[in-house]
Amino acid sequence: MTPDLLIRGGTLLHPETETTQSADVLIQDGLIAEIDTDVEAGPEVPVYDATDRLISPGWMDMHVHLREPGFEHKETIATGARAAAAGGFTDVACMPNTDPPIHTRDVVEFVRERAAETPVGVHPIACVSKEREGKELAELADLADGGAVAFSDDGAPVQHAGLMRRALEYSTMLDCPIVNHMEEKTLNPNGQMHEGEVSARIGLDGIPGLADDVMIARDIELAAFTGGHVHVAHISTARGVELVRRAKARDLPVTAEVCTHHITLTDAAVEQSGFDTNTKMHPPLRSAEDVAALKEGLADGTIDALCTDHAPHAAFEKDVEFNAAPFGITGLGTAWGLIGRELIEPGVLSVAEAVQKLTVAPRRILQLDPPTLETGEPAVLTIFDADTRWTFTEDHVHSKSQNTPFLGDELVGRPWAIYRDGELVQNEA
Ligand SMILES: [Zn+2]
């Protein structure tokens, strides 16, 4: 516990107004007690030197898989929270494809109790359907009462349009979005990677971008019909971006997130890496045209939030033939450095815009109050920079798994610490 702390010499970044301010921050009992230049504190108060560093409200990754209960060999809530903190995230929303799935109130409460032992805020996303089977609606009101912030059958789409319609009708009463894993499964029953030139050449079954686009188009119409909030999980296609752009122009309750790996790599990585199973994820790495469109969608505001879809798998599970490997990679530790390298350095987003998509945007989508850097408020903040060049190695892995294609990559921008719940969690230089 570090309930009191003086953060000296940093620059505060307020994402809502995109303004900065050089000031010290005094935290007392976990609350922001003072923001000013040259704040004085007693000799007993620990000092964090934030010279040349930025301080923003705490970041949130609204799409992670923490694997507990049921798959603790991949990740636990404790190790996932540690990985989140190391990545600069004070909060995460976790997906319900656990065992048992987060489909009853007691599982929601189990996740929240486990999370309370960590310094990171863990916000459960509960299942749309019982057993995550896509057949019968889960008890959405009870799940929301238990603390679920949204509903999703992620890992699988809500394939059944009638079920999605009913879920959206409920969601309007509960003020929770339905987060759909956008994929029309019948278009890609055996797909292993993006369907295109590369998959044809190397002979792997493809997942067409069309699978995502058809589902996004369906759900936009369901959002228009029901008034329910559809959130597009891990958008990956150019056409999908265009569909969301048009939905927003119609003022429909449709929002979208993009994963850091989808703006970084293309399907070429599958071939170039020699079928590295850490290039296999759902949705798959797509074409260069898709990546360009995702960046455009971020820049013009079509895509609201940045996320990781952190999906840990044990080495023995990923260290198999490409066709047999599970989908997904870890993402919490590399997120900010990839955003710096792929979005900020090339000028796609400003630092403030990128931080907005990690702070205000995900919480607005999930109807949570974004933390602010103001006196009297709980201290929930991330300390980082946007220009340190560093190499991501095994030493930086805090997740229980290290299934990432980015080991050895040079990243730009470093998360240094988070503060939340009266606790400072720091990364070593
Ligand atoms: Zn998904």
Side-chain angles (χ1 to χ4, degrees):
M1 281 286 279
T2 320
D4 291 4
L5 181 71
L6 176 60
I7 304 171
R8 200 181 276 295
T11 300
L12 277 58
L13 173 64
H14 303 282
E16 302 226 39
T17 52
E18 296 189 14
T19 54
T20 58
Q21 170 190 14
S22 293
D24 300 336
V25 180
L26 178 64
I27 297 169
Q28 285 177 335
D29 293 326
L31 299 179
I32 298 177
E34 201 179 342
I35 296 174
D36 210 339
T37 47
D38 299 319
V39 171
E40 294 294 333
E44 73 289 356
V45 177
V47 176
Y48 181 97
D49 180 6
T51 307
D52 296 329
R53 291 180 185 173
L54 294 159
I55 301 158
S56 77
W59 302 344
M60 177 168 198
D61 185 344
M62 66 178 296
H63 192 142
V64 304
H65 299 268
L66 297 183
R67 306 304 194 197
E68 186 180 358
F71 304 103
E72 290 85 352
H73 65 286
K74 300 172 192 272
E75 193 81 286
T76 65
I77 290 167
T79 59
R82 181 66 192 90
F89 295 97
T90 59
D91 292 80
V92 297
C94 62
M95 285 296 176
N97 57 339
T98 48
D99 185 21
I102 309 177
H103 70 150
T104 57
R105 185 169 174 157
D106 57 323
V107 188
V108 175
E109 286 169 352
F110 167 82
V111 171
R112 294 185 68 203
E113 279 162 27
R114 272 298 151 90
E117 298 161 12
T118 80
V120 168
V122 176
H123 308 271
I125 294 178
C127 295
V128 170
S129 66
K130 287 183 180 160
E131 303 289 351
R132 217 173 59 86
E133 281 178 341
K135 291 178 184 151
E136 209 184 325
L137 209 58
E139 302 287 345
L140 302 191
D142 200 35
L143 291 163
D145 275 349
V149 293
F151 302 100
S152 182
D153 280 352
D154 187 51
V158 180
Q159 181 76 34
H160 193 295
L163 190 74
M164 187 65 177
R165 173 188 170 176
R166 285 198 300 282
L168 284 166
E169 285 166 350
Y170 268 98
S171 78
T172 60
M173 292 180 275
L174 302 171
D175 229 7
C176 288
I178 307 297
V179 179
N180 203 6
H181 170 116
M182 297 293 181
E183 197 179 13
E184 169 48 69
K185 289 298 269 188
T186 58
L187 286 165
N188 66 316
N190 303 310
Q192 301 293 321
M193 68 173 292
H194 175 62
E195 179 182 310
E197 255 174 64
V198 181
S199 67
R201 184 168 57 242
I202 64 183
L204 284 176
D205 279 327
I207 303 171
L210 178 68
D212 296 33
D213 304 340
V214 165
M215 195 59 103
I216 292 170
R218 183 201 80 175
D219 280 4
I220 286 170
E221 289 312 309
L222 287 170
F225 186 81
T226 61
H229 177 177
V230 167
H231 179 70
V232 178
H234 40 51
I235 196 165
S236 73
T237 65
R239 182 70 191 149
V241 173
E242 183 53 28
L243 288 166
V244 171
R245 188 177 284 124
R246 290 186 192 177
K248 288 192 166 187
R250 289 163 68 192
D251 270 331
L252 297 180
V254 175
T255 52
E257 64 183 31
V258 68
C259 302
T260 43
H261 53 258
H262 283 129
I263 48 129
T264 304
L265 296 172
T266 67
D267 58 345
V270 178
E271 185 176 26
Q272 284 161 4
S273 68
F275 300 89
D276 178 358
T277 57
N278 291 326
T279 60
K280 179 175 177 179
M281 64 282 286
H282 232 177
L285 297 171
R286 299 237 180 243
S287 70
E289 295 74 44
D290 291 315
V291 172
L294 294 173
K295 289 180 178 173
E296 242 177 77
L298 279 166
D300 73 9
T302 301
I303 300 174
D304 303 83
L306 284 156
C307 69
T308 69
D309 194 5
H310 177 79
H313 293 291
F316 76 86
E317 294 167 313
K318 273 291 205 182
D319 198 10
V320 294
E321 199 191 323
F322 199 87
N323 278 309
F327 292 90
I329 60 168
T330 57
L332 288 163
T334 48
W336 179 248
L338 290 174
I339 290 167
R341 191 181 82 189
E342 304 296 330
L343 299 176
I344 297 172
E345 198 169 64
V348 177
L349 296 179
S350 67
V351 176
E353 287 166 340
V355 167
Q356 195 276 345
K357 292 181 189 295
L358 291 169
T359 53
V360 181
R363 291 175 176 100
R364 290 246 168 87
I365 291 165
L366 298 173
Q367 307 284 340
L368 302 168
D369 286 332
T372 55
L373 301 175
E374 283 167 39
T375 52
E377 292 293 316
V380 179
L381 49 88
T382 300
I383 303 173
F384 64 104
D385 70 44
D387 48 21
T388 293
R389 311 184 84 84
W390 57 296
T391 302
F392 183 76
T393 69
E394 287 178 18
D395 292 342
H396 301 110
V397 173
H398 293 274
S399 171
K400 203 163 186 175
S401 299
Q402 43 176 278
N403 49 310
T404 166
F406 301 119
L407 279 175
D409 261 41
E410 188 183 66
L411 304 179
V412 180
R414 190 82 206 269
W416 289 109
I418 64 153
Y419 187 99
R420 189 181 181 281
D421 267 357
E423 206 172 323
L424 177 74
V425 186
Q426 297 191 62
N427 285 328
E428 285 174 28

